[in-house]
Structure formats: structure tokens, C-alpha cells
Amino acid sequence: GLGELDVALDAYRRVRALAPTDDLRLADTATRMGTTYLALGDVAQAEPLLKEGLERWRARGFRAQQAQALIGLGDLAGRAG
């Protein structure tokens, strides 16, 4: 069966498919999906989502959420060496 992280990714995909283009849920799900893919070891999927989340949060001025995306990108950079 699907693991918890796979179930989460499925839910995030569904939210992204239904959310309007300027919806905060796109920023939130991009960041959450990025960190989930990072937890699964899928750097190729994680990086663009974390960058998207960061840009969407920056555009709105949400600094705490920007920090979450930056933490994910920092973890990603740490794995790259």
C-alpha cells in the first residue's frame, strides 16, 4: 500500500489541481511537497517545488513561510555537498 508520504503527496497534488493560480495553497503545497520529496530522497522533484514555494511566499511577504522553504533548500544543498 501507499506510505504516509505518498498519501500526503497525493493530497497536495489534488489541492494544487483545484486551487486558483493566486491562491496561497499553491505556495503552501509547493513547500510541503518539496519537503516531502526531500524526505523521500527525490531531490529532482524537491528542488523546483521548494523554489516555487519560496518565490510564492516572497511575493506575498510571508517571512516565516519563506524560512520553511529556505530550510528545505538548505537541506537539499547539504545533501548535494
Side-chain angles (χ1 to χ4, degrees):
L2 291 175
E4 289 181 17
L5 296 179
D6 294 315
V7 171
L9 286 171
D10 185 56
Y12 299 147
R13 282 188 205 100
R14 290 174 191 229
V15 170
R16 290 175 65 79
L18 297 173
T21 57
D22 63 344
D23 196 295
L24 283 176
R25 287 172 287 197
L26 292 176
D28 186 49
T29 54
T31 304
R32 291 177 185 271
M33 285 180 77
T35 56
T36 303
Y37 276 120
L38 194 58
L40 291 169
D42 191 341
V43 173
Q45 293 279 355
E47 185 173 15
L49 286 161
L50 289 167
K51 287 180 178 179
E52 176 190 337
L54 177 60
E55 290 309 310
R56 288 183 181 275
W57 290 125
R58 277 187 179 153
R60 297 288 186 118
F62 285 71
R63 295 179 65 135
Q65 289 80 3
Q66 290 174 47
Q68 290 296 339
L70 286 167
I71 289 168
L73 288 167
D75 288 346
L76 193 143
R79 290 177 187 222

